[in-house]
Amino acid sequence: TMEGGPGGVVSDNPMAQPERVMHIRDKTVRIKQLVIGQEGSCLGSVCWDAAAVLCAYLVDQNIDFRGKRVLELGSGTGVVGIYLAMLGAEVLITDIPELVNLMQTNIDLNCTEEAQHKNITVASLPWGGKEVDEIRQREKPFDYIVGSDVIYAPVGFQPLIDTMLAFSPESHPTESIIAYKKRYETERTFFDAAAQYFNITPTSVNDFPEGYRTSNVEVYRMTRSTN
């Protein structure tokens, strides 16, 4: 569960808390965030509910992340990538340059075991920017791409799709798992556009563990189309 709200998942006001704590299975993640209005804060500096649902969903699916390579896009506070590193994944968490220090702070706060700390790194990765090719050239292919609350702004839809495509080569079976809190009708246009390149499978709220079943958050699984 996540501290600070009914049912374990929904916080009354995540933007007003300097810290959020998640307890999922046998793991606890303590996330520092920059509250809105604080110097250096932005929407990405807050740990939103979709991140908690995504973590809970991933562990409940019994995916063996040990040794799997994971790219998190729009990591914000880094919570999802940090949780997967605790599960044994090799993780690269990414976001805009302004959030790199916050992500590193949360890695240092949570990944206290040497093996965990060695398994997770941070990089600046604005979608569609030159960094996409730079990272793609130096990194081995990723098994999973994850993202939470990355599709709220229509201006970012195509750059996000382009970035996902860049890291989903047809030669490697990369799966993307995206969670988001439903806010606007325009979010559907992301999936309409992505459907040209990806096979998209919605999950059911029944796939979420108890305490994380909320009708406001959806999770989609996406694989590169071969046609």
Side-chain angles (χ1 to χ4, degrees), residues 203-215:
T203 63
S204 166
V205 70
N206 295 324
D207 293 328
F208 305 163
E210 287 290 343
Y212 291 87
R213 292 176 182 171
T214 165
S215 60

Side-chain angles (χ1 to χ4, degrees), residues 156-215:
F157 290 174
Q158 194 58 50
L160 175 57
I161 290 170
D162 292 342
T163 301
M164 292 171 64
L165 284 170
F167 290 104
S168 303
E170 294 182 356
S171 59
H172 190 83
T174 304
E175 181 178 17
S176 296
I177 306 178
I178 305 296
Y180 78 103
K181 186 173 183 177
K182 292 184 290 185
R183 295 180 176 90
Y184 313 109
E185 288 297 320
T186 52
E187 290 151 359
R188 297 302 321 160
T189 63
F190 167 81
F191 294 103
D192 292 341
Q196 300 175 56
Y197 313 100
F198 294 92
N199 298 312
I200 303 173
T201 305
T203 63
S204 166
V205 70
N206 295 324
D207 293 328
F208 305 163
E210 287 290 343
Y212 291 87
R213 292 176 182 171
T214 165
S215 60

Side-chain angles (χ1 to χ4, degrees), residues 2-21 33 46-50 52-53 181 211-212 214 217:
M2 173 175 278
E3 292 181 1
V9 62
V10 180
S11 170
D12 294 332
N13 187 4
M15 292 186 293
Q17 302 172 11
E19 186 178 84
R20 295 192 78 177
V21 180
Q33 54 184 23
V46 173
C47 179
W48 300 98
D49 294 332
V53 173
K181 186 173 183 177
Y212 291 87
T214 165
V217 176

